[in-house]
Amino acid sequence: MVALLQRASLIFVPATTIGELEAAFLRGTRARENQLLLDAFLEEPLVREVPIDRKIARRYGALFAKLRSRGTPIPVNDVWIAAATIEVDARLVTFDGDFERISGLAVELLTPPR
């Protein structure tokens, strides 16, 4: 995954992803350390935070409705992440196969390290 990040010209991080990370940190034993690492990463020149705006909210609504009508819902936060990724015309790099259910989303599915 490090090589993948090194090849990137820009790295987008949706606000929803930041929220999920913060929640995970607070449930762990190294919350402050992880928050500092995340803050440092988010300040890297190639990293852009993606706030939720009206376009992303509309995209979210359309994706959520489509997934539900097809009977293939995925976790709500994942729909927000997908909506943000599509709106900034990026590729989502993830270990989560649920994202492959979303048409129009460019996904690079990684294999978890052993």
Side-chain angles (χ1 to χ4, degrees):
M1 181 148 134
V2 172
L4 182 65
L5 291 174
Q6 289 172 340
R7 291 193 325 254
S9 58
L10 279 177
I11 299 169
F12 293 101
V13 183
T16 309
T17 300
I18 296 169
E20 284 189 330
L21 289 170
E22 291 287 349
F25 297 163
L26 292 172
R27 293 186 60 205
T29 59
R30 299 183 347 228
R32 187 70 188 133
E33 177 185 344
N34 287 330
Q35 287 169 330
L36 291 171
L37 288 169
L38 177 60
D39 289 345
F41 174 74
L42 293 172
E43 296 202 14
E44 289 290 326
L46 298 179
V47 176
R48 304 288 186 276
E49 294 179 45
V50 181
I52 302 301
D53 63 14
R54 188 173 303 162
K55 286 176 142 182
I56 290 172
R58 284 194 175 129
R59 174 81 61 176
Y60 164 85
L63 291 174
F64 184 88
K66 186 174 186 178
L67 289 163
R68 289 288 169 139
S69 69
R70 288 192 332 215
T72 58
I74 65 172
V76 169
N77 281 350
D78 290 354
V79 182
W80 281 110
I81 292 165
T85 303
I86 292 169
E87 281 302 316
V88 298
D89 194 27
R91 172 177 301 280
L92 180 66
V93 179
T94 183
F95 293 105
D96 188 342
D98 282 344
F99 288 102
E100 292 184 309
R101 296 183 193 165
I102 300 176
S103 60
L105 177 64
V107 178
E108 183 157 342
L109 192 58
L110 301 174
T111 304
R114 294 182 186 212

